[in-house]
Amino acid sequence: MSFDAVIIGGSYAGMAAGLQLARARRKILLIDAGQPRNRFASHSHGFLTQDGAPPAEIAAEARSQLMEYPTVEWRTGRVEAVTGTADNFLVALADGSTYQARRIILAAGVTDELPGLPGLAEQWGKCVFHCPYCHGYELGKEGIGVLATSELAMHHGLMLPDWGATTLFVNDAFEPTAEQLAQLKARGTHIRIWRRHASLPNRDWR
């Protein structure tokens, strides 16, 4: 079966692209594996007109509106390979089915790669978060911990006190400079430097 475009990924980005193509009367196919990044969150926040709505309900409504266009088709599945060139792409799914397309849109999104800490994955989207603007308000000014994986954690250590008392766990990811320690202190951020090696001292600053 041939399409003007095959969109790989049927969450918000894929459906937004599909809507514009559908309105241009293009024949399109969306292929989605049903693994949106926000599936771990119970509610969406900061999304105008959808604040507090469950992500699955937002996606379901979007899909319902998109499928009203007669040139749109949907397949649930996982793409294994894309071969060919412009005007003659071949999309192969894990179940062995194939589709031809003039153009390909990649809207597969991103996958969060979590540190291998026991219990972390089970709490992801419940009390472990990646975005204070999405979830910070609901914390109600409770204590917040920032687990550093690089020096970029300084950004969160300085920003998050607006949402609650913050502790930055440096986690051996970097060594704060005197200037950085002063910045964190000015924001009221507690700094915990934990050493993986017993020969090196653990330290706390307030």
Side-chain angles (χ1 to χ4, degrees), residues 19 50 58-69 72:
L19 180 61
Q50 299 293 339
I58 299 173
E61 176 62 21
R63 178 175 173 177
S64 175
Q65 293 179 14
L66 181 60
M67 297 308 294
E68 290 292 321
Y69 290 86
V72 179

Side-chain angles (χ1 to χ4, degrees), residues 15-88:
M15 287 191 284
L19 180 61
Q20 299 306 317
L21 290 173
R23 293 187 57 78
R25 303 186 186 278
R26 301 294 186 180
K27 184 179 180 182
I28 62 172
L29 171 67
L30 284 91
I31 303 173
D32 185 65
Q35 298 290 304
R37 184 188 185 191
N38 64 3
R39 65 189 182 277
F40 302 103
S42 60
H43 296 86
S44 171
H45 296 289
F47 187 167
L48 197 61
T49 77
Q50 299 293 339
D51 193 40
E57 290 185 9
I58 299 173
E61 176 62 21
R63 178 175 173 177
S64 175
Q65 293 179 14
L66 181 60
M67 297 308 294
E68 290 292 321
Y69 290 86
T71 59
V72 179
E73 295 188 31
W74 188 285
R75 275 295 313 273
T76 299
R78 184 175 298 276
V79 173
E80 290 290 320
V82 177
T83 56
T85 57
D87 294 321
N88 191 28

Side-chain angles (χ1 to χ4, degrees), residues 157-158 161 166-168 183-191 205-206:
L158 294 172
T166 300
T167 298
L168 171 61
Q183 291 173 337
L184 292 165
K185 183 178 181 179
R187 287 288 284 151
T189 300
H190 176 61
I191 307 103
W205 280 273
R206 288 188 183 276

Side-chain angles (χ1 to χ4, degrees), residues 106-175:
L106 299 177
V110 298
T111 300
D112 293 303
E113 296 182 0
L114 304 181
L117 299 176
L120 184 65
E122 292 77 8
Q123 297 301 322
W124 186 242
K126 300 179 178 68
C127 61
V128 178
F129 308 109
H130 77 288
C131 174
Y133 291 98
C134 298
H135 306 285
Y137 185 85
E138 280 64 40
L139 295 178
K141 302 291 285 187
E142 293 182 5
I144 300 170
V146 179
L147 181 61
T149 57
S150 74
E151 192 170 353
L152 292 174
M154 274 293 300
H155 174 71
H156 290 89
L158 294 172
M159 175 177 63
L160 286 170
D162 290 338
W163 284 274
T166 300
T167 298
L168 171 61
F169 295 91
V170 178
N171 196 32
D172 227 11
F174 72 102
E175 183 73 24

